[in-house]
């Protein structure tokens, strides 16, 4: 018993010395998280962020509704604040996102029609990606374009973009992004790509087809973002479908980023130790699997501390207890999930 306790402590201390940022760097990876403008005002948080992240992404501040609040009005204040922070702390900056069916400003729905939507999309991308040109590591150019439930043979979501522009809207967006910023890694980003279930398998197949179509249409796409909003209640997985999928994505010469990782503890019992243990186990297992693929270059969690996780407002637990889906707790202390991420990052196989 004593040996185990001592070994545990020694290991814990040794491990705590390595931030996720340093650990990732040693393995040739980037680690970071989504950040909100509000969090950036909190100096305890920002010192944690500076220490732990080598890459950051604005949680909402570059979305249409925030950055393009009027037809001819752009508001770069909050996005610029994160860009300045990232530059000061030698962090890379992701752009999220240029084309999505959600968080569009009210004016867009009033004004957009089949006659002008393509031009609105091009102009928005040229203004926003142009503003940040040279500062962005990678842009999520199109977000969540696949929705199998909509029943189309190509799997495309029946979104406002599809309705107003047609299936070509994705290629239009990628071409506009490339014209505005020739340096950023242009990324397609989506969710429900991770589990072994038939639902996720169908989505993986549709995403592969979409990526192949984009490439054959000459769309300048260079990466895939797998959001990775995981559910702790999903149980153990073999990740067979995910491995096959990542091999195919790699064969298409695309990079892969884990863009929005968190572990939803909605269906786990209230007991905190048990919950933290299961959440950490899934973080460790998932990252251990995906990091075997050399195409995976970056891991970002969707938030850094439980205090600010979107899951608490967006999808609260049935028992009303705060969720614990991220590596740090509400007091910014490392949780078991932190150590699981750290271990997985450190064990990333080295490039031969
Ligand atoms: C979420 C934000 O975290 C919330 O604050 C906001 O209210 C809704 O959007 N997929 C995405 C992210 O690509 O942009 C979403 O972010 C989470 C799901």
């Amino acid at each position: 018993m004593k040996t185990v306790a001592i070994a545990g402590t020694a290991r814990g201390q040794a491990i705590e010395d390595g931030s996720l940022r340093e650990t990732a760097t040693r393995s040739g990876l980037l680690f970071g998280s989504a950040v909100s403008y509000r969090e950036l005002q909190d100096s305890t948080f920002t010192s944690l962020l500076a220490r732990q992240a080598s890459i950051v992404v604005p949680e909402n501040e570059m979305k249409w509704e925030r950055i393009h609040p009027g037809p001819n009005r752009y508001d770069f204040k909050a996005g610029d604040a994160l860009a300045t922070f990232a530059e000061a702390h030698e962090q890379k900056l992701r752009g999220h996102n240029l084309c999505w069916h959600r968080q569009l400003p009210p004016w867009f729905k009033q004004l957009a029609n089949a006659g002008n939507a393509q031009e609105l999309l091009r102009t928005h991308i040229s203004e926003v990606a142009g503003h940040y040109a040279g500062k962005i590591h990678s842009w999520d150019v199109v977000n969540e374009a696949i929705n199998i439930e909509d029943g189309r043979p190509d799997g495309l979501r029946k979104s406002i973009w599809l309705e107003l522009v047609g299936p070509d809207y994705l290629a239009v967006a990628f071409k506009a992004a490339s014209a505005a910023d020739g340096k950023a890694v242009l990324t397609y980003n989506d969710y429900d790509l991770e589990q072994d279930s038939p639902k996720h398998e169908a989505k993986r197949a549709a995403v592969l087809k979409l990526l192949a179509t984009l490439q054959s249409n000459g769309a300048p796409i260079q990466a895939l973002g797998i959001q990775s909003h995981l559910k702790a209640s999903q149980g153990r997985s073999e990740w067979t479908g995910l491995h096959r999928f990542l091999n195919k994505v790699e064969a298409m010469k695309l990079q892969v980023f884990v863009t929005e990782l968190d572990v939803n503890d909605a269906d786990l019992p209230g007991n905190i130790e048990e919950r933290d243990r299961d959440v950490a186990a899934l973080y460790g297992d998932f990252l251990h699997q995906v990091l075997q693929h050399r195409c995976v270059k970056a891991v970002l969690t969707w938030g850094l501390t439980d205090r600010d996780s979107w899951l608490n407002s967006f999808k609260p637990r049935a028992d009303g207890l705060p969720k614990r889906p991220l590596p740090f707790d509400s007091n910014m202390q490392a949780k078991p999930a932190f150590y699981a991420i750290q271990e997985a990052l450190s064990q990333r196989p080295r490039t031969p």
Side-chain angles (χ1 to χ4, degrees), residues 177-216:
S178 164
D181 183 345
K183 289 224 176 91
V185 181
L186 304 185
T187 307
Y188 173 73
N189 192 44
D190 215 331
Y191 63 96
D192 277 0
L193 298 168
E194 300 83 17
Q195 289 176 28
D196 285 337
S197 67
K199 183 177 168 188
H200 286 216
E201 185 58 30
K203 187 132 178 190
R204 285 190 287 265
V207 166
L208 283 174
K209 268 197 204 142
L210 174 67
L211 297 174
T213 307
L214 284 169
Q215 285 190 329
S216 66

Side-chain angles (χ1 to χ4, degrees), residues 75-293:
D75 181 354
F76 295 115
K77 182 176 161 241
D80 286 359
L82 187 59
T84 304
F85 182 87
E87 204 176 343
H89 297 91
E90 293 175 17
Q91 295 165 318
K92 309 250 187 234
L93 175 65
R94 301 203 72 241
H96 176 79
N97 54 56
L98 295 169
C99 178
W100 193 24
H101 61 286
R102 303 184 67 148
Q103 293 183 267
L104 285 162
W107 68 261
F108 180 85
K109 285 160 212 166
Q110 288 152 17
L111 217 99
N113 57 48
N116 64 13
Q118 187 171 136
E119 199 44 41
L120 287 172
L121 179 61
R122 279 217 191 90
T123 307
H124 173 87
I125 293 179
S126 147
E127 290 293 326
V128 176
H131 178 84
Y132 289 107
K135 296 189 172 168
I136 298 284
H137 163 271
S138 49
W139 262 114
D140 288 332
V141 179
V142 179
N143 199 30
E144 306 182 349
I146 297 290
N147 193 34
I148 303 298
E149 287 75 17
D150 284 347
R152 286 174 54 100
D154 59 9
L156 282 181
R157 180 187 298 275
K158 289 182 176 163
S159 72
I160 188 155
W161 293 113
L162 185 78
E163 186 194 320
L164 297 183
V165 183
D168 206 29
Y169 83 88
L170 290 110
V172 167
F174 276 93
K175 286 175 187 165
S178 164
D181 183 345
K183 289 224 176 91
V185 181
L186 304 185
T187 307
Y188 173 73
N189 192 44
D190 215 331
Y191 63 96
D192 277 0
L193 298 168
E194 300 83 17
Q195 289 176 28
D196 285 337
S197 67
K199 183 177 168 188
H200 286 216
E201 185 58 30
K203 187 132 178 190
R204 285 190 287 265
V207 166
L208 283 174
K209 268 197 204 142
L210 174 67
L211 297 174
T213 307
L214 284 169
Q215 285 190 329
S216 66
N217 290 345
I221 173 165
Q222 291 118 15
L224 170 71
I226 53 172
Q227 291 187 5
S228 312
H229 293 292
L230 307 179
K231 290 190 183 68
S233 59
Q234 75 173 59
R236 268 202 77 80
S237 177
E238 297 297 324
W239 309 105
T240 322
L242 180 63
H243 280 302
R244 259 201 304 260
F245 176 67
L246 290 176
N247 285 335
K248 288 183 184 158
V249 174
E250 184 155 44
M252 298 172 92
K253 306 252 182 299
L254 295 170
Q255 297 182 49
V256 173
F257 310 128
V258 174
T259 50
E260 304 185 16
L261 179 59
D262 53 16
V263 176
N264 191 339
D265 58 0
D267 304 317
L268 294 182
N271 178 282
I272 285 179
E273 271 163 36
E274 241 178 274
R275 254 203 283 164
D276 283 0
R277 187 197 58 209
D278 288 1
V279 166
L282 185 51
Y283 264 108
D285 184 26
F286 174 72
L287 286 177
H288 185 73
Q289 302 294 327
V290 293
L291 292 177
Q292 289 172 24
H293 295 265

